[in-house]
Amino acid sequence: QVQLVESGGGLVQAGDSLILSCRLSGRTFETYDINWFCQAPGKEREFVAGINWTYNSTYYADSVKDRFTVSKDRAGNMVYLRMNRLKPDDAAVYYCAAGAGVSRSGMKYWGKGILVTVSP
């Protein structure tokens, strides 16, 4: 089992920055991709960004690749999502997930999610 706990969400204004954190614990996650997904009201949960725990490869959705940065702290078992130039469309519940690849179906473990609200 892998446990994931998100933190760092909140209310920001358009154009602001925010850093989400995901704390991982439990069994080894050396082989996993650690991803961020978001789900806005009435929409499907979609991939935002991810990082491979071992190789540090990073992946981004086209909509965020020039604004968001995913990183990890291996020693602290943390994965971060730095979100710059936030837009109202970025408002959603953000989930941290662990699994293979970047598709929702490939994720084995999920955090409970954290709310990000962006005011115009």
Side-chain angles (χ1 to χ4, degrees):
Q1 285 280 14
V2 175
Q3 291 79 41
L4 306 101
V5 179
E6 303 94 340
S7 61
L11 172 63
V12 296
Q13 291 186 328
D16 284 353
S17 297
L18 195 64
I19 299 176
L20 302 184
S21 301
C22 175
R23 179 176 298 278
L24 294 89
S25 61
R27 57 161 290 177
T28 181
F29 24 82
E30 292 287 334
T31 62
Y32 288 144
D33 295 297
I34 311 300
N35 295 314
W36 290 95
F37 290 78
C38 71
Q39 187 167 20
K43 295 187 177 181
E44 292 191 353
R45 193 172 300 186
E46 59 183 20
F47 170 76
V48 176
I51 187 166
N52 181 272
W53 189 259
T54 299
Y55 299 109
N56 285 331
S57 309
T58 55
Y59 317 96
Y60 296 95
D62 288 343
S63 61
V64 307
K65 62 175 52 175
D66 60 344
R67 298 185 296 123
F68 291 8
T69 303
V70 61
S71 61
K72 76 176 200 297
D73 171 6
R74 192 181 191 92
N77 290 345
M78 298 288 293
V79 172
Y80 302 99
L81 181 68
R82 180 174 180 87
M83 304 185 291
N84 293 330
R85 304 196 307 277
L86 281 160
K87 306 174 182 179
D89 284 350
D90 296 319
V93 176
Y94 282 74
Y95 298 89
C96 185
V102 300
S103 67
R104 196 172 56 188
S105 62
M107 299 300 100
K108 292 187 66 174
Y109 304 102
W110 291 88
K112 293 183 179 181
I114 194 158
L115 181 63
V116 173
T117 305
V118 184
S119 63

